[in-house]
């Protein structure tokens, strides 16, 4: 009997310790964004909000033109996510629902290419982009991420559950294949499409290496590039409060939106990836 | 019969046209670069691309930094992967219990690091690791000596390992949870009847049943770990760390390709990564397979 009362307590204790460990950096971003270096680097642990939030925001706006940086990140992310989700949804759907000459070859190539490390692909991609004049452009950051093999694989898994009978019924009614996709498959697959789009969105928003090598003009910089500039800057001392103000306004809102949509659609793609 | 044939070709035409947008970008941004990368690794790349045989590979095998970067990455993986997998297994098993309230909430919060910018995470930890930052405040509050997190080669590696565990545990928890949900409850029920306790069930049922998923997770970690670049590059100026203790293959690749602008040599390094990842995957498969038979 004693064992039964004891065990759930231990389980919750372990889970709550995990919760604190994983949530702490996010909470810390918000609190430290309102503090100055004297408090953040003080001898004592201080989790009380300070009065410096607006001052920190003003500093990142003046030094890095933060509003423009947010716009750059938003533009690249939104355009990239819409284009990538559309083409990978189409491809995943075709791979799940059609057999044609070369369909196996395409599937195998996509799967094999997932084994090649990103860096191997990045170097020639950069070479090609610089030859066609796309370095230092938004397009140069967006294009290399469009053909996401992860998204195709996920959409293929989801589309396999889409009933073929619906397609056959629509064909009897005289619907073309594109109409079937746009009018029947897309609405049915919407939750899956949003799940895939969400991961693509986070991928573009968090992307670091691609903008780092493609963008050289600081007026086009995205959020991760500004963060790296702050931490690697050896000219003036790092204002940790200002750094945290960037994180509190660029990481926390996106993470909250993710949490909200995630609970709404209840799947994160991993479940389908291993089944 | 004839009509049916015609219908199939019509479908194929539509299928090709739907596949086309993806295919174009796949070929331009993945397939061609992959082939070019192999070609680069045997070439001197400047305005022209000149075949130089094996000289890029000879050059990297003479470079001490090349071996140092692999050595560092293996140390990181040797400590971070087992700890990550163990913690994720514990969380997954606990979250798989139907009686626990708020499972979805725990699961979502644990998973957040997987969708958070690694650059952002690294910069928060950079703040924690400051000589008078949060971690040392905690250490001294318990009466310990301040730890030289980022300035001592040993602690620099510990710092990186801590971040990579924090980043990955949630992802593997969700991965293992999905695997656990595939194990039928009947197995545990009959184990209960046979009198097996929780620990026996964990080692005799859960781990063997999850082995394919665990293996997949470890292979993924290996491939990602080799290319790791963000964490050392944010924690340390130039990504090297004290006595080059933080240099990963990814950092070395970035320096070689975009600072020394030696695309040939960099491509050669990236293909050693493909080979090492393949060898490690095979080894993990063999070890995993053997245990399964025993």
């Amino acid at each position: 009997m004693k064992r039964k009362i004891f065990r759930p307590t231990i389980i919750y204790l372990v889970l709550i310790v995990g919760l604190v460990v994983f949530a702490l950096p996010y909470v810390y971003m918000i609190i430290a964004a309102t503090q100055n270096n004297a408090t953040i680097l003080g001898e004592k642990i201080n989790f009380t909000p300070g009065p410096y939030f607006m001052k920190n925001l003003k500093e990142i706006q003046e030094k890095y033109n933060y509003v423009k940086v947010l716009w750059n990140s938003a533009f690249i992310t939104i355009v990239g996510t819409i284009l990538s989700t559309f083409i990978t949804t189409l491809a995943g759907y075709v791979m799940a629902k059609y057999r044609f000459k070369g369909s196996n070859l395409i599937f195998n190539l996509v799967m094999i290419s997932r084994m090649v490390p990103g860096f191997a692909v990045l170097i020639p991609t950069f070479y090609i982009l610089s030859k066609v004049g796309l370095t230092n452009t938004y397009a140069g950051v967006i294009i290399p991420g469009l053909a996401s093999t992860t998204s195709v694989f996920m959409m293929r898994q989801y589309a396999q559950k889409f009933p073929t009978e619906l397609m056959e019924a629509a064909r009897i009614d005289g619907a073309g294949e594109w109409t079937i996709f746009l009018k029947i498959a897309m609405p049915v697959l919407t939750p899956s499409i949003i799940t895939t789009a969400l991961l693509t969105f986070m991928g573009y928003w968090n992307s670091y290496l691609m903008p780092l090598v493609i963008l050289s003009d600081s007026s086009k910089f995205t959020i991760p590039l500004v963060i790296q500039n702050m931490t690697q800057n050896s000219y003036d001392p790092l204002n940790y409060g200002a750094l945290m103000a960037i994180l509190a306004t660029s990481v926390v809102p996106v993470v909250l939106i993710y949490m909200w949509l995630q609970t709404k659609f209840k799947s994160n793609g991993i479940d389908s990836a291993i089944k | 019969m004839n009509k049916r044939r015609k219908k199939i070709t019509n479908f194929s035409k539509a299928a090709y046209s739907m596949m086309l947008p993806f295919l174009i970008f796949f070929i331009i941004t993945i397939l061609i670069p992959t082939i070019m990368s192999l070609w680069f690794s045997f070439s001197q790349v400047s305005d022209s691309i000149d075949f130089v045989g094996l000289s890029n590979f000879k050059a990297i095998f003479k470079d001490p930094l090349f071996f140092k970067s692999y050595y560092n990455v293996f140390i990181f993986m040797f400590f971070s992967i087992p700890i990550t997998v163990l913690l994720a297994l514990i969380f997954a098993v606990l979250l798989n219990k139907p009686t626990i309230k708020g499972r979805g909430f725990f699961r979502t919060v644990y998973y957040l690091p997987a969708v958070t910018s690694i650059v952002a995470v690294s910069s928060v930890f950079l703040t924690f690791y400051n000589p008078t930052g949060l971690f040392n405040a905690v250490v001294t509050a318990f009466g310990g000596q301040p730890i030289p997190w980022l300035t001592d080669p040993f602690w620099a590696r510990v710092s990186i390992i801590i971040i990579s565990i924090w980043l990955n545990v949630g992802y593997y928890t969700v991965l293992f949870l999905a695997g656990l949900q595939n194990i039928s409850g009947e197995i545990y029920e009959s184990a209960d009847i046979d009198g097996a306790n929780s620990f026996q069930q964990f080692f005799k049922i859960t781990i063997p049943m999850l082995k394919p998923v665990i293996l997949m997770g470890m292979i993924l970690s290996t491939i990602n770990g080799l290319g790791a670049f963000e964490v050392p590059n944010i924690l340390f100026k130039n990504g090297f760390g004290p006595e080059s203790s933080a240099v990963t293959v990814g950092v070395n690749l970035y320096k070689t390709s975009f600072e020394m602008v030696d695309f040939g040599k960099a491509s050669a390094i990236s293909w050693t990564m493909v080979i090492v990842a393949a060898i490690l995957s095979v080894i993990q498969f063999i070890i995993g397979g053997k245990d399964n038979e025993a």
Side-chain angles (χ1 to χ4, degrees):
Chain A
M1 196 58 208
K2 196 185 168 194
R3 199 168 145 234
K4 265 200 168 164
I5 304 164
F6 187 59
R7 284 191 59 211
T9 327
I10 290 228
I11 293 175
Y12 280 114
L13 198 71
V14 173
L15 289 177
I16 287 167
V17 167
L19 197 70
V20 171
V21 169
F22 290 119
L24 179 76
Y26 302 97
V27 175
Y28 189 83
M29 285 173 196
I30 299 170
I31 293 172
T34 67
Q35 298 175 331
N36 62 1
N37 273 5
T39 320
I40 294 171
L41 305 179
E43 294 287 311
K44 285 205 184 88
I45 306 164
N46 190 336
F47 274 8
T48 48
Y52 296 99
F53 185 57
M54 291 317 288
K55 191 175 167 287
N56 287 332
L57 274 188
K58 212 175 140 212
E59 182 183 325
I60 50 179
Q61 177 57 26
E62 276 165 8
K63 270 196 185 157
Y64 300 98
N65 197 0
Y66 185 53
V67 175
K68 182 75 193 324
V69 172
L70 281 174
W71 160 253
N72 294 340
S73 271
F75 181 83
I76 288 169
T77 303
I78 292 168
V79 173
T81 304
I82 293 171
L83 291 178
S84 173
T85 306
F86 185 68
I87 67 169
T88 54
T89 301
L90 272 170
Y93 169 76
V94 170
M95 281 181 181
K97 289 293 163 192
Y98 294 89
R99 289 290 160 270
F100 53 89
K101 225 176 162 188
S103 58
N104 278 333
L105 176 72
I106 294 172
F107 179 71
N108 289 334
L109 280 176
V110 168
M111 285 297 114
I112 292 169
S113 75
R114 288 164 61 82
M115 300 288 155
V116 182
F119 256 112
V121 180
L122 177 73
I123 296 162
T125 303
F126 175 80
Y127 186 85
I128 297 168
L129 289 173
S130 65
K131 290 282 173 204
V132 296
L134 282 177
T135 44
N136 203 22
T137 64
Y138 295 139
V141 181
I142 294 171
I143 292 172
L146 289 179
S148 160
T149 52
T150 311
S151 299
V152 170
F153 183 67
M154 275 170 65
M155 281 317 300
R156 177 179 163 274
Q157 298 292 101
Y158 290 131
Q160 275 169 345
K161 289 174 200 150
F162 176 67
T164 313
E165 296 79 37
L166 281 181
M167 298 168 72
E168 280 159 5
R171 276 174 201 146
I172 292 165
D173 294 341
E177 300 304 308
W178 274 92
T179 317
I180 295 174
F181 172 75
L182 293 169
K183 293 274 162 72
I184 302 168
M186 286 250 298
V188 171
L189 292 173
T190 299
S192 316
I193 294 172
I194 290 175
T195 305
T196 309
L198 211 53
L199 283 184
T200 310
F201 185 95
M202 299 312 252
Y204 272 112
W205 187 258
N206 299 336
S207 170
Y208 172 54
L209 198 49
M210 196 48 88
L212 182 64
V213 302
I214 296 290
L215 302 173
S216 47
D217 178 358
S218 66
S219 72
K220 290 181 178 151
F221 276 8
T222 57
I223 298 157
L225 296 190
V226 169
I227 295 174
Q228 107 131 16
N229 263 13
M230 286 184 87
T231 60
Q232 304 264 315
N233 183 348
S234 26
Y235 302 110
D236 44 10
L238 173 56
N239 178 352
Y240 286 94
L243 175 65
M244 292 303 135
I246 292 188
L247 301 184
T249 50
S250 72
V251 174
V252 175
V254 177
V255 161
L256 289 177
I257 293 171
Y258 175 85
M259 269 178 87
W260 174 63
L261 285 172
Q262 153 85 47
T263 42
K264 221 174 155 191
F265 295 102
K266 285 229 167 77
S267 168
N268 45 34
I270 295 182
D271 313 49
S272 71
I274 67 163
K275 269 175 193 166
Chain B
M1 189 61 204
N2 207 0
K3 207 179 164 195
R4 199 185 143 79
R5 256 192 94 93
K6 200 177 159 220
K7 237 183 178 173
I8 288 172
T9 40
N10 276 345
F11 291 172
S12 309
K13 224 187 221 167
Y16 279 125
S17 72
M18 286 191 246
M19 195 75 205
L20 197 65
F22 170 77
L23 217 51
I24 291 172
F25 286 108
F26 178 72
I27 291 170
I28 296 176
T29 62
I30 295 176
L31 208 57
I32 291 176
T34 304
I35 296 162
M36 275 178 82
S37 164
L38 203 54
W39 174 31
F40 277 13
S41 64
F42 296 101
S43 308
Q44 170 91 48
V45 183
S46 50
D47 284 331
S48 60
I49 301 167
D50 305 307
F51 184 76
V52 291
L54 286 172
S55 75
N56 286 325
F57 289 93
K58 280 180 193 152
I60 58 174
F61 288 132
K62 276 186 203 139
D63 184 356
L65 195 62
F66 174 77
F67 293 103
K68 181 88 182 180
S69 68
Y70 269 104
Y71 174 74
N72 288 340
V73 167
F74 285 131
I75 288 187
F76 298 151
M77 292 196 295
F78 184 80
F79 290 100
S80 71
I81 295 180
I83 298 174
T84 305
V85 168
L86 185 71
L87 289 174
L89 269 174
I90 292 170
F91 286 135
V93 169
L94 296 184
L95 286 177
N96 197 40
K97 293 195 187 304
T99 49
I100 299 297
K101 289 196 178 70
R103 291 193 296 161
F105 177 70
F106 282 116
R107 193 183 117 125
T108 306
V109 174
Y110 287 11
Y111 189 69
L112 291 182
V115 292
T116 305
S117 154
I118 301 178
V119 172
V121 169
S122 306
S123 64
V124 178
F125 277 88
L126 179 74
T127 314
F128 291 162
Y129 288 142
N130 188 285
T132 56
L134 182 68
F135 283 178
N136 274 349
V138 172
V139 170
T140 45
F142 283 99
Q145 286 294 313
I147 291 169
W149 290 104
L150 300 178
T151 43
D152 174 84
F154 170 80
W155 288 104
R157 288 190 177 128
V158 174
S159 303
I160 288 184
I161 291 168
I162 290 174
I163 296 182
S164 77
I165 293 170
W166 187 87
L167 276 170
N168 290 314
V169 167
Y171 177 83
Y172 291 106
T173 303
V174 173
L175 191 73
F176 294 159
L177 252 177
L180 282 174
Q181 273 145 18
N182 287 343
I183 304 176
S184 120
E186 287 166 22
I187 301 178
Y188 291 106
E189 276 166 32
S190 54
D192 263 337
I193 293 164
D194 291 342
N197 65 32
S198 296
F199 278 99
Q200 287 168 326
Q201 289 182 17
F202 181 74
F203 287 107
K204 298 282 175 189
I205 303 173
T206 310
I207 295 214
M209 295 288 274
L210 273 186
K211 193 167 273 165
V213 186
I214 296 174
L215 219 63
M216 181 183 133
M218 287 174 70
I219 290 168
L220 268 172
S221 291
T222 309
I223 295 172
N224 290 338
L226 287 172
F229 167 69
E230 283 99 335
V231 178
N233 209 47
I234 295 296
L235 288 188
F236 307 101
K237 297 221 156 74
N238 298 318
F240 275 60
E243 295 168 29
S244 302
S245 55
V247 177
T248 60
V249 186
V251 170
N252 188 19
L253 261 169
Y254 180 78
K255 302 295 151 191
T256 313
S257 47
F258 297 105
E259 283 177 13
M260 289 146 66
V261 203
D262 191 340
F263 285 1
K265 198 175 154 190
S267 298
I269 296 172
S270 69
W271 282 92
T272 65
M273 252 166 76
V274 178
I275 294 162
V276 170
I279 293 170
L280 290 177
S281 305
V282 169
I283 292 173
Q284 282 168 351
F285 261 117
I286 292 170
I287 293 171
K290 250 188 198 151
D291 276 15
N292 255 349
E293 283 156 32

